[in-house]
Amino acid sequence: MTMQIPEIELGNVVSDAVPLAPGEKGINETFLGYVDAPSGRHKAYIKVIASKQLVNELVATTIGRALNLPIPPGYLLRVRPEDLPESQILQQHGAEALIFGSRAVNHPALARRFQGDPQGVEAWLRGNFKRWDEAVIFDDWIANVDRNPGNLLVGGADQVWLIDHGHCFTGPNWQADQLQAAHAYVNQMANIYVPSLTLPQRVALKDKTSAMSQLFAAVNPDLAMASSFAASLLSPDDLDALSSFLRNRVPHIVNIISNRVGIPGLGGQL
């Protein structure tokens, strides 16, 4: 059975968006403002990013939301230099461009809540992030190498949002030959959680991976490429490579997670 894939909305940036302060944004130009989309006007974080990062955000948002993961709705946005006059990139570009928008949620980034306190970050995650296992498994499927605490918006135990997917598919400027379906890439969420897991918890994570891999298999990568606009933004070779990577990686996810938890030869629960 093929899973229903939500479509990314194509919208426009409303002028008067304001840049985020250095401590609130990552390395990319990011603004907080409003976007006009078919579903209405929405407050959003607006990111001026390069083409591969743009595709990464669009595809990861599309398939993550198809899996009912806590990822805000995303937008492919048309923007003119005069819409974001403080964007140095757009002023240098000098013409209308395509950028990414993510629906704003009223929660701060976890890293901002615990500035300079990595132990506080880990303690909060362990005590409150109820869907950490799904985030670990999803990040391995999409080869997200940068799920750091700044990429989690947090309110309470059931209010954790996964954002910033520009470094999926091995990185922000991936090449087709880097997409190796069986390879275990860096997984920062796994690095936080796995070391302290008990053996029953490790087995449970492996079992959860087996169940989620069946959901991954129900995602049609070609449909995801079309619904996210990636089919229009990538070259034919890169498009084929990304679709094949998502499809071919599914059978390897259980083995990748099993090796992470140190039980590659152990069967799951009956």
Side-chain angles (χ1 to χ4, degrees):
M1 183 178 68
T2 300
M3 184 176 294
Q4 184 175 357
I5 306 293
E7 293 186 354
I8 291 287
E9 289 191 289
L10 179 63
N12 298 297
V13 174
V14 178
S15 58
D16 297 328
V18 296
L20 295 188
E24 297 178 330
K25 67 180 183 67
I27 61 175
N28 301 116
E29 287 189 341
T30 307
F31 299 79
L32 180 61
Y34 288 88
V35 301
D36 282 333
S39 60
R41 178 167 289 189
H42 306 285
K43 192 173 185 179
Y45 291 100
I46 300 161
K47 298 174 65 175
V48 183
I49 49 180
S51 57
K52 284 286 178 65
Q53 282 185 278
L54 176 60
V55 167
N56 290 357
E57 291 276 16
L58 293 167
V59 173
T61 295
T62 297
I63 60 179
R65 287 179 59 79
L67 294 163
N68 292 316
L69 292 173
I71 297 175
Y75 309 96
L76 177 62
L77 300 172
R78 293 171 296 215
V79 63
R80 302 166 301 177
E82 57 265 34
D83 295 328
L84 293 176
E86 296 185 71
S87 168
Q88 296 182 9
I89 295 175
L90 288 175
Q91 302 318 306
Q92 293 172 2
H93 181 66
E96 185 177 82
L98 293 172
I99 59 175
F100 181 70
S102 177
R103 180 90 58 89
V105 295
N106 295 321
H107 301 312
L110 181 60
R112 185 181 176 191
R113 176 181 287 193
F114 293 96
Q115 288 184 0
D117 182 13
Q119 293 182 336
V121 168
E122 291 196 20
W124 192 96
L125 284 172
R126 294 181 190 283
N128 296 278
F129 191 11
K130 305 303 183 185
R131 301 180 69 178
W132 67 268
D133 50 355
E134 296 175 52
V136 167
I137 298 163
F138 179 62
D139 281 350
D140 260 330
W141 183 38
I142 63 174
N144 183 2
V145 300
D146 190 38
R147 176 81 68 201
N148 61 70
N151 298 338
L152 298 171
L153 301 182
V154 300
D158 58 349
Q159 296 176 315
V160 180
W161 295 85
L162 311 178
I163 63 166
D164 289 349
H165 295 92
H167 288 241
C168 293
F169 310 117
T170 77
N173 192 30
W174 55 266
Q175 303 299 313
D177 61 359
Q178 296 173 317
L179 301 177
Q180 303 296 318
H183 186 74
Y185 297 94
V186 173
N187 187 325
Q188 295 197 33
M189 292 300 295
N191 291 343
I192 290 174
Y193 281 96
V194 168
S196 65
L197 294 180
T198 64
L199 179 57
Q201 289 172 328
R202 291 167 189 255
V203 174
L205 181 58
K206 183 175 180 178
D207 290 338
K208 186 65 170 283
T209 304
S210 181
M212 285 194 70
S213 68
Q214 296 180 42
L215 297 177
F216 297 163
V219 174
N220 183 325
D222 297 325
L223 182 57
M225 296 302 116
S227 297
S228 64
F229 289 98
S232 301
L233 298 172
L234 289 175
S235 69
D237 287 345
D238 281 347
L239 180 63
D240 180 67
L242 187 54
S243 292
S244 297
F245 177 75
L246 285 170
R247 182 179 293 108
N248 297 336
R249 192 161 173 78
V250 173
H252 297 285
I253 291 300
V254 172
N255 187 56
I256 289 170
I257 291 290
S258 296
N259 282 306
R260 287 199 189 283
V261 299
I263 51 172
L266 186 63
Q269 297 175 357
L270 295 177

